[in-house]
């Protein structure tokens, strides 16, 4: 029991009291219910991997979004974490592709650009622009927090040379809120009202 409480207490957002509550719930639950939870965790680790293109979590590589021929392949929406893709997909209004950074630049937590999937994004954009299906727009959907904004600025610096149009989710998202916690309406507004950060003249 104490081992389970200790393990649960390490999960994000769960303090010791929540961990105790869950452990006591499982103690009272049927063996089937407890086993189903354990099986779901085992399957998550056995089956879930990252898409080698967009880094979203998936059971198949490429993920269903990258593999979907019906999506607009000229747009990439850059988000911090896989949960943001799920939130935006639930809205159903965005039909382009994604790129998951797997975090944000956070010097205080020792997270630098090299710890994120930024180089892979650059390669993705650069490579596509030599094909007949070039990525035309990168929409930066990092959270409107200090670290999210810093990450956005860094992305703009790096992406500028590729000649792609760069935009940012509009400020419908209140400062300090996150993609994951924003209301659906605010998120839809932010997506619709996104604004250009730079619009380079395309030398073509
Ligand atoms: Zn993918």
């Amino acid at each position: 029991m104490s081992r389970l409480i200790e393990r649960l207490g390490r999960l994000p957002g769960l303090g010791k009291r929540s961990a105790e509550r869950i452990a006591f719930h499982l103690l009272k639950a049927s063996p089937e219910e407890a086993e189903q939870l354990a099986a779901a965790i085992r399957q998550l680790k056995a089956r879930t991997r990252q898409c080698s293109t967009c880094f979203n979590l998936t059971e198949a590589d490429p993920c269903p979004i990258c593999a979907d021929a019906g999506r607009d392949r000229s747009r990439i929406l850059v988000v911090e974490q896989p949960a943001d893709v799920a939130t935006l997909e639930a809205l159903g209004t965005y039909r382009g592709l994604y790129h998951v950074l797997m975090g944000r630049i956070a010097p205080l937590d020792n997270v630098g650009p090299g710890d994120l999937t930024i180089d892979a994004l650059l390669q993705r954009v650069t490579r596509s622009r030599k094909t007949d299906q070039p990525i035309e727009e990168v929409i930066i959907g990092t959270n409107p927090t200090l670290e999210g904004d810093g990450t956005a600025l860094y992305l703009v610096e790096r992406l500028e040379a590729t000649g792609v149009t760069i935009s940012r989710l509009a400020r419908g998202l209140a400062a300090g809120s996150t993609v994951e916690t924003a209301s659906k309406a605010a998120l839809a507004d932010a997506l619709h009202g996104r604004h250009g950060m730079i619009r380079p003249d395309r030398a073509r």
Side-chain angles (χ1 to χ4, degrees):
M1 189 74 178
S2 60
R3 205 172 121 211
L4 178 61
I5 291 171
E6 196 266 328
R7 286 280 153 188
L8 287 170
R10 291 188 197 185
L11 300 178
L14 288 188
K16 189 159 186 293
R17 282 186 58 190
S18 306
E20 282 172 356
R21 224 174 302 147
I22 293 170
F24 282 115
H25 170 80
L26 289 171
L27 187 66
K28 284 183 285 179
S30 67
E32 291 76 28
E33 193 183 335
E35 184 46 48
Q36 278 167 9
L37 176 64
I41 294 172
R42 271 195 300 274
Q43 284 172 7
L44 171 78
K45 295 309 290 179
R47 289 192 196 162
T48 309
R49 63 185 99 179
Q50 279 182 300
C51 173
S52 59
T53 302
C54 72
F55 295 91
N56 193 17
L57 297 183
T58 175
E59 289 187 8
D61 186 15
C63 72
I65 296 174
C66 287
D68 185 347
R71 298 196 67 123
D72 176 359
R73 312 193 82 78
S74 69
R75 266 176 248 291
I76 292 184
L77 176 46
V78 181
V79 295
E80 293 183 16
Q81 48 173 346
D84 297 339
V85 175
T87 305
L88 287 154
E89 280 300 286
L91 271 182
T93 51
Y94 177 69
R95 294 298 299 157
L97 303 177
Y98 292 93
H99 192 90
V100 183
L101 294 175
M102 298 308 290
R104 69 272 173 277
I105 299 171
L108 294 179
D109 296 330
N110 272 325
V111 181
D115 298 311
L116 309 177
T117 64
I118 294 175
D119 285 344
L121 172 66
L122 263 297
Q123 281 174 23
R124 216 178 142 185
V125 172
T126 309
R127 210 175 290 151
S128 85
R129 292 182 70 80
K130 292 172 189 151
T131 69
D132 55 1
Q133 267 193 330
I135 291 160
E136 303 281 2
E137 181 182 13
V138 172
I139 307 156
I140 300 176
T142 53
N143 292 320
T145 58
L146 208 59
E147 290 171 344
D149 284 342
T151 307
L153 285 177
Y154 180 83
L155 285 173
V156 171
E157 254 171 51
R158 294 285 307 273
L159 284 164
E160 247 168 340
T162 66
V164 76
T165 297
I166 308 169
S167 54
R168 178 95 163 98
L169 284 190
R171 292 292 151 165
L173 292 183
S177 73
T178 66
V179 171
E180 200 180 0
T181 58
S183 75
K184 281 192 169 191
L187 214 48
D189 282 353
L191 200 53
H192 183 69
R194 65 183 184 265
H195 49 83
M197 293 186 88
I198 57 164
R199 291 184 182 277
D201 295 324
R202 288 202 200 98
R204 267 203 280 164

